[in-house]
C-alpha cells in the first residue's frame, strides 16, 4: 500500500495538488469555529454566532453548484478570485463584530463567506485525472479524502489556538490559507496539459443514476448530522463533554485508514456497487453505537464506522466518473449540496432526540437511514443484472 502512495507523491503535479488540498483542508476545517467565535467574542452571544455559522453553511451548500459551474466555465483561474472574496468576507465580519454591527448584518456576512468559498476539493477530482496516470487516480481520490478529514480534525483545534490571541488573527489565517490553497491549485508547468473542457452536467430528471446518487448523498449527510450531534450529546450525558472532540476524531482516524486502504487496491466489478456496499457497511457499523455506555465503548464503534466511511468517499468520486463522465467540479458540488441538506436535517433531528430517552438513539437512526436505502438500491441493481 505504501509503495503506491510513494509513486503518487513522486509526481510534481500531484505534490502541488496535495499541498493545495492540505492548505485548503486546514482553512475549511477552521472556518466554522472561526465564524462562531469571531461573532461571539466581541458580542458575548453564542446565539448570534450560531446564526452566523448557520448562514455560512446554508449559503455554502446552496451556492456550491453555481460555484462549481463557474470553475467549469472559466477554469481554475477563478479560484484565487473566489479565495480573495472569502478572505475579505472573513475580515469584514471581524471588523463588523468589533464595531458593534447589528446581528442581522453579522448573519449576512457569515452567509457571504459561504458564497465565496472556493470549491477546491470539488475541482481537484478533475485535476487528478490530468495530473497522474490512470492507475494512480484512485490513490489521488483517497489522498483528497484523507486531507479533508485531517483538516476537519485539526482545523478546529488550530482555530481555537488562534483565538487565545486575537480574533483578527484567526480571520487572517483562515483567509490567507484559503488564498494560498487556491494559488497552489493552479498548475505552473505545461498548463496546456491541464486544460479541461468539461461536459455539461446531465439533466437531473434525465439521469436516474445521478438522482440515485444524490438521494444516497442526502441520507449519508443525514447520518453524518446525527453523529456530529449525537456524539457530543452522548459525551455530555456521560459527564465527559470534553471528550466530544477526540471521539469525533476517532471516526476521522477510521475514515483516513479506510480510505487509504481502499485507494491502494485494485477492484473488480461496478464501482456503483462498491459505493453502495460501503454505505451499507457504514450503516451496519453505526448500529452498535446504540448500546455504548461510555466513551470507552463508543470509540471502537466510531473507528470501525470510519473504516467504511473512507471507502465510501473515495468510491463516490469514482462513481461520479461513471454516472457523469467528463463533467467537472459542478457534479461533485451537487453532492455537496445534497449532503449539506441531509446534514442539516440530521442535526436538527438529533437535537430533538437528545432530550428524549437514551442519548445514543441518534446512532440507531443514523444506521437505519443508511441501511434501508443502500440495501434496497443493491437489491434493485442485482435484480436488473
Amino acid at each position: 500500500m505504501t509503495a503506491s502512495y510513494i509513486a503518487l507523491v513522486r509526481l510534481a503535479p500531484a505534490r502541488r495538488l496535495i499541498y493545495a488540498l492540505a492548505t485548503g483542508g486546514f482553512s475549511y476545517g477552521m472556518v466554522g469555529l472561526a465564524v462562531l467565535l469571531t461573532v461571539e467574542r466581541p458580542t458575548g452571544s453564542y446565539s448570534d454566532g450560531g446564526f452566523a455559522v448557520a448562514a455560512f453553511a446554508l449559503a455554502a451548500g446552496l451556492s456550491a453548484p453555481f460555484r462549481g459551474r463557474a470553475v467549469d466555465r472559466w477554469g481554475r483561474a477563478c479560484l484565487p478570485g473566489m479565495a480573495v472574496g472569502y478572505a475579505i468576507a472573513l475580515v469584514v465580519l471581524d471588523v463588523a463584530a468589533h464595531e458593534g454591527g447589528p446581528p442581522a448584518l453579522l448573519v449576512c456576512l457569515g452567509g457571504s463567506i459561504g458564497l465565496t468559498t472556493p470549491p477546491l476539493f470539488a475541482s481537484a477530482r478533475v485535476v487528478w485525472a490530468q495530473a497522474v496516470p490512470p492507475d494512480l487516480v484512485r490513490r489521488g481520490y483517497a489522498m483528497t479524502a484523507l486531507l479533508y478529514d485531517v483538516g476537519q480534525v485539526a482545523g478546529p483545534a488550530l482555530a481555537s489556538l488562534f483565538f487565545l490571541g486575537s480574533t483578527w488573527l484567526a480571520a487572517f489565517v483562515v483567509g490567507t490559507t484559503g488564498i494560498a490553497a487556491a494559488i497552489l491549485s493552479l498548475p505552473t508547468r505545461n498548463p496546456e496539459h491541464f486544460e479541461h473542457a468539461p461536459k455539461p452536467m446531465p439533466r437531473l430528471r434525465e439521469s436516474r443514476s445521478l438522482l440515485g446518487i444524490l438521494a444516497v448523498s442526502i441520507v449519508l449527510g443525514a447520518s453524518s448530522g446525527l453523529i456530529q450531534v449525537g456524539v457530543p450529546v452522548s459525551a455530555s450525558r456521560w459527564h465527559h463533554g470534553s471528550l466530544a472532540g477526540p471521539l469525533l476524531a476517532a471516526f476521522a482516524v477510521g475514515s483516513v485508514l479506510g480510505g487509504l486502504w481502499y485507494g491502494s487496491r485494485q477492484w473488480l466489478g461496478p464501482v456503483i456497487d462498491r459505493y453502495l456496499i460501503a454505505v451499507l457497511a457504514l450503516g451496519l457499523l453505526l448500529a452498535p453505537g446504540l448500546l455504548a455506555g461510555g466513551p470507552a465503548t463508543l470509540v471502537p464503534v466510531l473507528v470501525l464506522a470510519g473504516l467504511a466511511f473512507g471507502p465510501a468517499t473515495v468510491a463516490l468520486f469514482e462513481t461520479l466518473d461513471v454516472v457523469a463522465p467528463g463533467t467537472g467540479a459542478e457534479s461533485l458540488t451537487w453532492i455537496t449540496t445534497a449532503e449539506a441538506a441531509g446534514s442539516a436535517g440530521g442535526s436538527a433531528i438529533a437535537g430533538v432526540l437528545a432530550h428524549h430517552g437514551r442519548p445514543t438513539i441518534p446512532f440507531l437512526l443514523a444506521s437505519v437511514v443508511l441501511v434501508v436505502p443502500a440495501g434496497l438500491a443493491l437489491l434493485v441493481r442485482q435484480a436488473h443484472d
Side-chain angles (χ1 to χ4, degrees):
M1 181 174 77
T2 303
S4 62
Y5 287 102
I6 291 175
L8 181 75
V9 299
R10 281 177 176 170
L11 301 174
R15 287 199 302 273
R16 186 177 177 87
L17 186 55
I18 289 170
Y19 298 152
L21 293 175
T23 308
F26 282 119
S27 180
Y28 296 166
M30 290 187 286
V31 66
L33 184 60
V35 170
L36 174 68
L37 296 182
T38 294
V39 174
E40 183 274 333
R41 289 297 170 86
T43 65
S45 173
Y46 273 108
S47 176
D48 290 345
F51 281 121
V53 174
F56 160 75
L58 182 63
L62 293 178
S63 67
F66 302 100
R67 288 181 283 118
R69 187 177 303 170
V71 173
D72 291 342
R73 180 171 298 179
W74 294 301
R76 290 190 303 282
C78 67
L79 290 173
M82 292 184 186
V84 169
Y86 168 78
I88 291 174
L90 282 159
V91 173
V92 172
L93 174 65
D94 181 68
V95 172
H98 280 86
E99 293 298 322
L105 173 61
L106 302 181
V107 169
C108 289
L109 289 172
S112 70
I113 297 169
L115 289 173
T116 53
T117 302
L120 297 171
F121 283 81
S123 64
R125 186 179 69 89
V126 178
V127 181
W128 280 120
Q130 301 169 324
V132 302
D135 62 318
L136 292 178
V137 170
R138 185 182 295 123
R139 277 73 162 175
Y141 289 165
M143 189 64 68
T144 301
L146 179 154
L147 293 171
Y148 182 82
D149 284 338
V150 170
Q152 293 303 302
V153 173
L158 286 174
S160 61
L161 288 176
F162 291 132
F163 276 94
L164 295 177
S166 173
T167 58
W168 73 263
L169 180 60
F172 176 78
V173 172
V174 174
T176 53
T177 51
I179 294 173
I183 293 173
L184 284 170
S185 70
L186 302 178
T188 58
R189 298 180 181 178
N190 301 321
E192 66 278 359
H193 177 67
F194 293 89
E195 290 179 357
H196 178 61
K199 296 179 182 178
M201 270 278 297
R203 294 182 182 273
L204 295 182
R205 63 176 180 271
E206 298 173 358
S207 176
R208 294 177 59 186
S209 296
L210 187 55
L211 279 174
I213 297 302
L214 287 174
V216 174
S217 297
I218 290 174
V219 297
L220 192 59
S223 178
S224 177
L226 285 161
I227 298 306
Q228 291 293 324
V229 174
V231 167
V233 168
S234 297
S236 177
R237 294 279 287 274
W238 293 328
H239 307 291
H240 292 286
S242 61
L243 294 181
L247 286 171
L248 290 172
F251 182 82
V253 168
S255 177
V256 167
L257 295 176
L260 288 175
W261 170 80
Y262 177 90
S264 67
R265 298 179 65 85
Q266 298 298 325
W267 298 95
L268 300 176
V271 66
I272 297 177
D273 288 351
R274 296 202 299 272
Y275 173 58
L276 293 173
I277 289 170
V279 172
L280 178 63
L282 173 61
L284 293 173
L285 292 170
L286 283 171
L290 174 68
L291 305 177
T297 52
L298 185 57
V299 166
V301 173
L302 292 172
V303 172
L304 289 173
L307 290 175
F309 185 81
T313 302
V314 181
L316 172 61
F317 294 161
E318 295 182 293
T319 299
L320 286 176
D321 292 339
V322 173
V323 302
T327 56
E330 184 183 354
S331 58
L332 186 55
T333 53
W334 275 104
I335 300 297
T336 302
T337 298
E339 290 182 351
S343 180
S347 299
I349 293 171
V352 174
L353 293 175
H355 297 286
H356 297 82
R358 194 179 181 91
T360 53
I361 288 178
F363 288 91
L364 177 62
L365 185 56
S367 174
V368 171
V369 300
L370 293 179
V371 169
V372 172
L376 288 175
L378 282 169
L379 290 174
V380 169
R381 285 185 57 80
Q382 289 179 358
H384 286 174
D385 287 344

